[in-house]
Amino acid sequence: MVTIYDVPADALIEAVAARLEDRIDEPDWVEFTKTGAGKELPPEQDDFWYVRSASLLRKVAQNEPIGIERLATEYGSKKRGSNRYIVRPGEHESGSRKLIRASLQALEEEGLVTTAAGEGRRVSDEGEAFLSEVASEVFENLDRPELERYA
């Protein structure tokens, strides 16, 4: 049985994002929002919402139970001030908690994630089955010779 640890993260996230486009709806405000306080502009990807949701689903599966605060730290970036005048060292800024919370709530409505009281979010049994199914498809379609030893 293939798990999320057996396939490269970028290939898994791309495949899960493609599947999530049919399962969850993108909010209207996503195209206008930034991904964190350290960013100046919103993301330019057309499918950003689905890629971020897939990435969050993978992170929750790896680090469960995990809360929004820790996820915001992981999705944060370095804030350097203006692009024109960098006058002091950068500081870490957290990612957008609203974006993470809304994405996790959409995944909860779909039944892929559950809330553990006082602990954070966990992947449900349906979510684990979904990730394993996608991981096995990705593994079959991989054409990377360095991963043949895992077959």
Side-chain angles (χ1 to χ4, degrees), residues 6-8 139 142 144-151:
D6 299 331
V7 294
F139 190 77
L142 278 179
R144 295 177 60 178
E146 68 269 13
L147 296 177
E148 287 183 9
R149 65 176 177 228
Y150 297 114

Side-chain angles (χ1 to χ4, degrees), residues 4-5 7-14 16 20 51-64 66 71 74-75 104 107 113 123 131:
I4 60 172
Y5 303 104
V7 294
D10 56 345
L12 178 68
I13 291 171
E14 186 178 312
V16 171
L20 285 178
V51 171
R52 179 57 63 98
S53 297
S55 176
L56 280 166
L57 183 60
R58 181 181 166 274
K59 281 228 186 266
V60 170
Q62 283 184 322
N63 304 319
E64 60 184 359
I66 188 168
L71 287 167
E74 290 190 24
Y75 283 100
L104 287 175
L107 291 171
V113 175
V123 175
L131 284 173

Side-chain angles (χ1 to χ4, degrees), residues 110-132:
E110 195 58 37
L112 301 174
V113 175
T114 59
T115 302
E119 295 179 351
R121 301 295 207 298
R122 293 180 182 267
V123 175
S124 65
D125 293 337
E126 182 182 339
E128 285 184 31
F130 173 72
L131 284 173
S132 295

Side-chain angles (χ1 to χ4, degrees), residues 16 20 32 39-41 47 73 82 93 99 130 139 141:
V16 171
L20 285 178
F32 305 112
K39 301 293 184 181
E40 290 187 13
L41 297 171
D47 61 343
T73 302
S82 171
E93 289 288 330
L99 193 68
F130 173 72
F139 190 77
N141 296 334

